[in-house]
Amino acid sequence: MTKPGNAVLLISCPDKEGIIAAVTALLSRLGANILFIDQYVDHENKMFFMRVEWELEHFKITNDEFRVIFTHEAANKYSMNWELYLTEKKQRMAIFVSKYAHCFFDLLGSWRTGDLNVDIPVIVSNHETLREDAQRFGIEFIHLPVTAANREEMAIEQMKILEKHEIDFVVLARYMQIIPPSMIEAYPNRIINIHHSFLPAFAGAKPYHQAYTRGVKIIGATGHYVTEDLDEGPIIEQDIERVNHTYSVEDLVKTGQDIEKRVLTRAIKHHVERRVLAYNNRTVVFQ
Amino acid sequence: MTKPGNAVLLISCPDKEGIIAAVTALLSRLGANILFIDQYVDHENKMFFMRVEWELEHFKITNDEFRVIFTHEAANKYSMNWELYLTEKKQRMAIFVSKYAHCFFDLLGSWRTGDLNVDIPVIVSNHETLREDAQRFGIEFIHLPVTAANREEMAIEQMKILEKHEIDFVVLARYMQIIPPSMIEAYPNRIINIHHSFLPAFAGAKPYHQAYTRGVKIIGATGHYVTEDLDEGPIIEQDIERVNHTYSVEDLVKTGQDIEKRVLTRAIKHHVERRVLAYNNRTVVFQ
Amino acid sequence: MTKPGNAVLLISCPDKEGIIAAVTALLSRLGANILFIDQYVDHENKMFFMRVEWELEHFKITNDEFRVIFTHEAANKYSMNWELYLTEKKQRMAIFVSKYAHCFFDLLGSWRTGDLNVDIPVIVSNHETLREDAQRFGIEFIHLPVTAANREEMAIEQMKILEKHEIDFVVLARYMQIIPPSMIEAYPNRIINIHHSFLPAFAGAKPYHQAYTRGVKIIGATGHYVTEDLDEGPIIEQDIERVNHTYSVEDLVKTGQDIEKRVLTRAIKHHVERRVLAYNNRTVVFQ
Amino acid sequence: MTKPGNAVLLISCPDKEGIIAAVTALLSRLGANILFIDQYVDHENKMFFMRVEWELEHFKITNDEFRVIFTHEAANKYSMNWELYLTEKKQRMAIFVSKYAHCFFDLLGSWRTGDLNVDIPVIVSNHETLREDAQRFGIEFIHLPVTAANREEMAIEQMKILEKHEIDFVVLARYMQIIPPSMIEAYPNRIINIHHSFLPAFAGAKPYHQAYTRGVKIIGATGHYVTEDLDEGPIIEQDIERVNHTYSVEDLVKTGQDIEKRVLTRAIKHHVERRVLAYNNRTVVFQ
């Protein structure tokens, strides 16, 4: 039977001798045509991380059979945290957005060109501003007027929407609202935010104003998983641009928006391609 | 009378003593509230370049009167090439596109968010591929099946379209077709192309394949004015990304498309904000 | 009389109409062959900044005469802070260093090749470590065992050394000791420090350890003038390198040292070429 | 017996199933504490590349015994090209230099700080210019007045010097002379050159003049292995800086020299740490 697509196996466990040999030998035995192997050892914390991607075409067993075999022959032995992903199944991504549209348009453009390989069934916003633009792209747009006061209550509505649409992960495309702990717990390392500064510099509000006042010569943006500590979650991707004294706050904002676009889209791609493992508030991002 | 917007004056002339003093003194006398002055002297070629931007609100004379006064009191004296632009009037930009859509979507997104301050009355393509996407954004889409054989003939059609829509400048957003001399002459330094390499490296076809074969560790993209020498026109903007041996040709293409997007959009912004002066096949790009 | 070298005039004052015209007209009248003019207006604070560089060869008056004329005809009228520098006179730079030698060697190499156009009469250190290397380059090396306890007292010794050697400015090349207020007051905007992080991220001690723990994907370094607020002085130059999860703290340190070298040397060059104006804890750095 | 240092094994061979498992299983059996494993498959050319580094402290056999065992149990089976390196033994590097001293000083500074972990027994130059500076650092300096006419003859002298000093690899630190084929054959992928442009742009002479004329907005430098095709050898490392219209040729040269310094030193470090595998005129550079 010919099976389409690839399988990706992500592993983290305490570092021990022989893990790579065990995993690759097992996969070879099962007929996997391995395309990519990446591993990393955090010697300080004695932790082992691995990503293996193989073609399913000549794989001899079903994925469920693999799960059983892998659990018994490798995962239990090495106390692994592990997940198996199938590239055939597109991930379902929800966009949360406010009024700023630069990341929103970049995501939709990347999605339409196929560069971002996801389904986008729904866009949620606390403003009506982008309804028409969402609909241009044929995507359902839901307006939920979230405020600091009704945040928890609205999160219940938001999570209903996510469940209904079988959302795999959420992207905060300059959403400008705090995500309550209930939702963060429900989507651990599955909510990606773009912060408009080079964290940890200028966390919190108005980072471009802060950057102007401090007189920095470089500004940046940070894509990270959302945790309960605001702007403190594991960083997936960052990038920067050089600026100078002639940049007004408005110029910094415009320059920064270009950085935000590319950093957010890259962070999402890393996530979608199953290249990211988060631990100790840091990320391993396999190339 | 309150006048809206700003005026931008672009000057190039042989370098002589006293030009800056003469221009700024004249503008002061006429009530210009000067916002930005930039000048550059090419000492090797003894050429002087200047960009002045001022608020029109309290300017004492009309723009036509200014043209007369400036010609008599400054331009003639210093043998200036000069142009006066009014920011109030949006420039009209046509997009030529083929099948690759990454730059196309970036331009439309930047236009919709107001980041790119132009009107886009028409999109011309040698393929039907992007008709629906152009129309989503409410922009007229015209399909002209250009080939190497009918290029000159089709250029006549294309120029009719440009004239009808009163197009100020044309953007080749990965258009993949050669522009014939007749159109280049009609739009000197007003056709902007994105080349998918860091020129002059990898001019011509398939630059990402060339980059792969040569094993470069950095790839780039180049935004330039189109001249009759293919890929040889004055460079407006370039940018790069670091790559490595693990990048396949396809990976280089994907990485490169992100560079192309931002380089093209930046080059257009420089052009639209009247920051670019081309001479000797080089550009002065005032900040 | 033929005069060697160039003159550089640095001006800051409240923004008013006609300053550029006044300054350039005066210089033209006095026979200055102007090479570079740069100006910047901080519209928010209504402040004007200017740098003019001209050849002295055909300048009609002495520099002392210029000072008198400029004061009466321009500086007083516009309430200018201004300084006149002569490129003929090499500035005298002292290096303060501890045990880390990467910046030290980069400075001495740049000095020997002529890339850094200064005299370096003396190197001061709180350790003996680099005595021999300083002497290789024929530079006097003075060991002052500074500690947190004797800092103020030692500063008196240090300032005697600076005075004796007629030092124009001091470079802290990873000096690792706090400079007391008495010295900072004596050398305002004339002590340049390299901080081993992308400020304001990771101010204070052990920035590379902080960067590791936070899991940033980019690290940097910052060259700034020293003020009484530690790591808070006006930033002259910053640069960065991309890192990833595989970098240990030691790898971050090694990568960071390369950034520190180039950022410090660049910051010094900007200072030496009289391109830097500090105000409101920010810098204008003319190109 | 406690053995000092690490071992690095570099492998390239046709890609086959099970290589990683075979190598890692063998090393585990022999008591290797593996620190780093990196591998890469060139799917297009079906080639496999691997770098393994392990601690020798608890390794059960001698390196000679390892060579025998590895040949029989792995290398022959998979038709491997392979080399075993011991980090304990410092590599011996010769510097060839002309008059430009910026790379020369950067190498010596990096060597003195221990950042560049090599011995430098000899410096060879076609000029006397840097004799004194070489001797400051206690390194033998040999002047051989090479010209285009006596190049081949002088190469015999040069190779005698390299042999006498048991040189492992040669660095051309802006040497400005062509290396004849006889020396290139004797030191395959062991002569590292810095070219002062972002290759393949501006190969050949006077790249900064070429860059000025072409009006590029970014300049770069390239570290590569020397092959018989001038400026065409496998690229190890490249880097760039942004420039603009205000840069004279001299400014490009100065900016470029900073890039050359860091690119050359990085390329050498990659080589010294045995991270580089060259094939098909490209390089695999393991991180």
Side-chain angles (χ1 to χ4, degrees), chain D residues 91-95 107 116 118-122 167-171 268 272:
Chain D
Q91 290 176 70
R92 295 169 70 78
M93 167 177 127
I95 300 175
L107 293 175
L116 197 54
V118 294
D119 287 327
I120 308 179
V122 66
I167 294 301
D168 291 302
F169 71 102
V170 177
V171 170
I268 295 171
V272 167

Side-chain angles (χ1 to χ4, degrees), chain B residues 7-243:
Chain B
V8 175
L9 180 64
L10 280 182
I11 298 167
S12 63
C13 62
D15 188 29
K16 270 192 202 161
E17 221 175 73
I19 304 176
I20 298 176
V23 172
T24 56
L26 174 59
L27 284 169
S28 290
R29 208 183 79 210
L30 298 174
N33 181 21
I34 295 177
L35 295 173
F36 301 106
I37 300 178
D38 293 284
Q39 79 290 325
Y40 161 65
V41 176
D42 176 342
H43 291 290
E44 197 179 343
N45 295 300
K46 299 196 192 316
M47 285 291 290
F48 174 88
F49 303 88
M50 189 172 185
R51 180 187 189 276
V52 195
E53 180 167 351
W54 66 91
E55 292 180 325
L56 287 172
E57 198 176 349
H58 301 293
F59 205 46
K60 292 172 184 164
I61 58 174
T62 67
N63 297 309
D64 284 343
E65 287 166 348
F66 174 78
R67 284 177 221 270
V68 173
I69 292 173
F70 187 76
T71 301
H72 288 134
E73 300 197 17
N76 287 351
K77 182 172 173 190
Y78 294 104
S79 310
M80 290 175 176
N81 285 314
W82 65 282
E83 289 192 80
L84 181 73
Y85 302 101
L86 306 176
T87 64
E88 193 196 13
K89 186 183 171 297
K90 273 197 192 176
Q91 290 175 70
R92 295 170 70 79
M93 167 176 127
I95 299 175
F96 280 26
V97 71
S98 188
K99 287 176 173 177
Y100 289 112
H102 52 286
C103 287
F104 168 88
F105 276 114
D106 197 55
L107 292 175
L108 296 187
S110 297
W111 167 68
R112 279 287 300 153
T113 60
D115 187 37
L116 196 54
N117 185 32
V118 295
D119 287 327
I120 307 178
V122 66
I123 291 166
V124 177
S125 181
N126 53 337
H127 294 280
E128 279 289 346
T129 317
L130 295 174
R131 175 180 296 278
E132 193 186 340
D133 282 303
Q135 289 170 349
R136 271 180 220 282
F137 286 90
I139 301 174
E140 184 177 352
F141 180 93
I142 297 173
H143 175 215
L144 289 178
V146 176
T147 63
N150 69 5
R151 185 184 297 151
E152 293 282 351
E153 183 184 339
M154 280 297 182
I156 296 168
E157 291 307 305
Q158 290 169 334
M159 284 194 281
K160 279 185 194 161
I161 293 165
L162 299 182
E163 278 160 38
K164 179 189 153 199
H165 286 284
E166 299 181 335
I167 294 301
D168 291 302
F169 70 103
V170 177
V171 170
L172 310 182
R174 298 294 310 278
Y175 174 55
M176 313 297 284
Q177 293 288 330
I178 290 170
I179 301 297
S182 56
M183 193 183 299
I184 295 170
E185 276 163 40
Y187 292 86
N189 294 329
R190 295 201 283 145
I191 306 174
I192 298 172
N193 183 47
I194 181 74
H195 184 77
H196 42 319
S197 85
F198 183 76
L199 288 174
F202 311 131
K206 291 192 173 284
Y208 294 120
H209 288 78
Q210 293 183 56
Y212 179 86
T213 302
R214 184 62 189 90
V216 290
K217 300 301 185 189
I218 287 172
I219 59 169
T222 305
H224 65 94
Y225 288 124
V226 174
T227 59
E228 292 197 27
D229 298 313
L230 193 66
D231 300 335
E232 294 285 343
I235 294 171
I236 307 169
E237 171 70 355
Q238 299 185 295
D239 207 350
I240 58 96
E241 288 288 337
R242 194 166 274 275
V243 297

Side-chain angles (χ1 to χ4, degrees), chain A:
Chain A
M1 190 187 78
T2 303
K3 281 165 280 187
N6 298 342
V8 176
L9 181 66
L10 280 182
I11 298 168
S12 63
C13 63
D15 189 30
K16 271 193 201 162
E17 222 175 73
I19 304 176
I20 298 176
V23 172
T24 56
L26 174 59
L27 285 169
S28 290
R29 209 183 79 212
L30 299 174
N33 182 20
I34 296 177
L35 295 173
F36 301 105
I37 301 178
D38 294 283
Q39 78 291 325
Y40 162 65
V41 177
D42 176 342
H43 291 290
E44 197 179 344
N45 296 300
K46 300 192 192 316
M47 285 290 291
F48 174 87
F49 303 88
M50 189 171 186
R51 181 187 187 277
V52 194
E53 180 167 349
W54 66 91
E55 292 180 325
L56 287 173
E57 199 177 349
H58 302 292
F59 206 46
K60 293 172 182 162
I61 58 173
T62 66
N63 297 308
D64 284 342
E65 286 166 349
F66 174 78
R67 284 177 222 272
V68 173
I69 293 174
F70 188 76
T71 301
H72 289 134
E73 299 197 18
N76 287 351
K77 182 172 172 192
Y78 294 105
S79 311
M80 289 176 176
N81 286 313
W82 64 282
E83 290 192 80
L84 181 73
Y85 302 100
L86 306 175
T87 64
E88 194 196 13
K89 187 184 170 297
K90 272 198 194 175
Q91 291 177 67
R92 297 171 68 79
M93 167 176 126
I95 299 174
F96 281 26
V97 72
S98 188
K99 289 176 172 176
Y100 289 112
H102 52 286
C103 286
F104 167 88
F105 276 113
D106 197 55
L107 293 175
L108 295 187
S110 297
W111 167 69
R112 280 286 300 152
T113 59
D115 188 38
L116 196 55
N117 184 31
V118 295
D119 287 328
I120 308 179
V122 65
I123 291 166
V124 177
S125 180
N126 53 336
H127 293 282
E128 279 288 347
T129 317
L130 295 173
R131 175 180 295 280
E132 194 186 341
D133 282 305
Q135 289 170 349
R136 269 180 222 282
F137 285 90
I139 301 174
E140 183 176 353
F141 180 94
I142 297 172
H143 174 214
L144 289 178
V146 177
T147 62
N150 70 6
R151 182 185 298 150
E152 293 282 352
E153 182 184 340
M154 281 296 182
I156 296 169
E157 290 307 306
Q158 290 169 334
M159 284 194 280
K160 279 185 193 160
I161 293 166
L162 300 182
E163 278 161 39
K164 180 189 154 199
H165 286 283
E166 298 182 335
I167 293 301
D168 291 302
F169 71 103
V170 178
V171 170
L172 310 182
R174 297 294 312 278
Y175 174 56
M176 314 296 285
Q177 293 288 331
I178 290 170
I179 301 296
S182 56
M183 193 183 300
I184 295 170
E185 276 163 39
Y187 292 85
N189 293 330
R190 295 202 283 145
I191 306 173
I192 298 172
N193 183 47
I194 180 73
H195 183 77
H196 41 320
S197 85
F198 184 76
L199 288 174
F202 312 130
K206 291 191 172 285
Y208 294 119
H209 288 78
Q210 293 182 57
Y212 179 86
T213 301
R214 185 63 189 89
V216 290
K217 301 301 186 187
I218 287 173
I219 60 169
T222 305
H224 65 94
Y225 288 126
V226 174
T227 59
E228 292 197 27
D229 298 314
L230 192 66
D231 300 335
E232 294 285 343
I235 294 170
I236 306 168
E237 171 70 355
Q238 299 185 293
D239 208 349
I240 57 95
E241 288 289 337
R242 195 166 273 275
V243 296
N244 61 43
H245 63 271
T246 67
Y247 283 63
S248 66
V249 170
E250 190 188 356
D251 294 331
L252 295 177
V253 168
K254 292 236 171 204
T255 302
Q257 290 181 343
D258 273 352
I259 314 173
E260 296 165 30
K261 282 160 60 173
R262 62 179 191 259
V263 168
L264 180 57
T265 301
R266 277 186 210 155
I268 295 170
K269 281 192 208 172
H270 292 327
H271 179 86
V272 167
E273 293 168 3
R274 308 300 189 183
R275 305 186 175 283
V276 189
L277 278 161
Y279 81 110
N280 279 3
N281 211 43
R282 305 172 82 239
T283 59
V284 172
V285 182
F286 288 120
Q287 190 168 61

